[in-house]
Amino acid sequence: MAGIDFRGVNHLALVCKDMARTVEFYSGVLGMPLTKTIEIPGGGQHFFFDCGNGDSLAFFWFPNAPEAVPGVSAPAHRPDQGDIVSAHGSMNHVAFGVSPEHIERCVGALRDAGVDCTDVWNHDDSEWGVAREFTDDVYVRSVYFTDPDGISLELAAWTRALGVGDVRHEPRSLAD
């Protein structure tokens, strides 16, 4: 739509099972400042965390929300542990940008906090999309983990600017 002056993501709103546990994980473990809290009529809550660059990650807590269905409402596994398919309209994962110089340190910090995470993945354009070693072909380095509700999270560090040559594939549909 022409005429919209996009300024990034204001916030992404997810649903958690336990707001106190969510605050402890996102503020206590990941270090995201809690910036806004809202009580919702009917007993719910809506809390916002600063995830950098003026962007926010928000969570709803509803006392009567249905349970998550792994493999439907979210991936059933981390990328290194199995199938990452999730249903149409679902949120597959949230990737937070981090500095390429600090990606290795992020793994250590997560593990020191007791968070089970992957090693650093070097994403490239090879057949499998990931390289064992960091090379000039790597465009992003990632670490994957989940929050206490099983929400798939990623710390992602761009290693080079993307350009016209990075858009090479035609979009597909089930009709193809």
Side-chain angles (χ1 to χ4, degrees):
M1 178 180 215
I4 297 176
D5 180 23
F6 288 104
R7 297 182 179 204
V9 175
N10 180 282
H11 71 275
L12 173 65
L14 306 170
V15 178
C16 67
K17 187 173 186 174
D18 181 319
M19 189 63 83
R21 183 179 67 180
T22 297
V23 169
E24 173 53 33
F25 183 78
Y26 285 90
S27 285
V29 174
L30 298 183
M32 291 183 188
L34 183 61
T35 58
K36 178 69 176 165
T37 63
I38 301 166
E39 292 289 329
I40 299 171
Q45 294 183 314
H46 192 31
F47 283 22
F48 292 75
F49 299 87
D50 178 348
C51 63
N53 293 327
D55 300 330
S56 295
L57 181 66
F59 285 88
F60 283 101
W61 174 76
F62 303 113
N64 58 352
E67 291 292 321
V69 181
V72 178
S73 53
H77 303 282
R78 232 175 38 196
D80 63 324
Q81 297 173 330
D83 194 0
I84 62 166
V85 173
S86 58
H88 301 145
S90 69
M91 189 211 59
N92 190 270
H93 70 278
V94 178
F96 301 105
V98 298
S99 167
E101 296 81 29
H102 298 137
I103 191 80
E104 299 286 348
R105 190 169 73 195
C106 292
V107 172
L110 288 168
R111 289 181 177 155
D112 287 348
V115 176
D116 183 29
C117 65
T118 65
D119 291 329
V120 175
W121 286 30
N122 298 301
H123 298 276
D124 66 4
D125 290 320
S126 66
E127 178 184 358
W128 296 102
V130 67
R132 289 184 190 269
E133 303 295 326
F134 177 71
T135 68
D136 290 341
D137 294 330
V138 173
Y139 57 89
V140 69
R141 302 184 80 206
S142 298
V143 177
Y144 297 93
F145 57 105
T146 59
D147 84 348
D149 286 308
I151 295 170
S152 295
L153 304 174
E154 174 186 5
L155 301 179
W158 294 112
T159 59
R160 63 174 175 81
L162 301 179
V164 174
D166 288 299
V167 179
R168 305 189 299 261
H169 306 90
E170 290 297 319
R172 293 188 287 180
S173 68
L174 288 177
D176 292 338

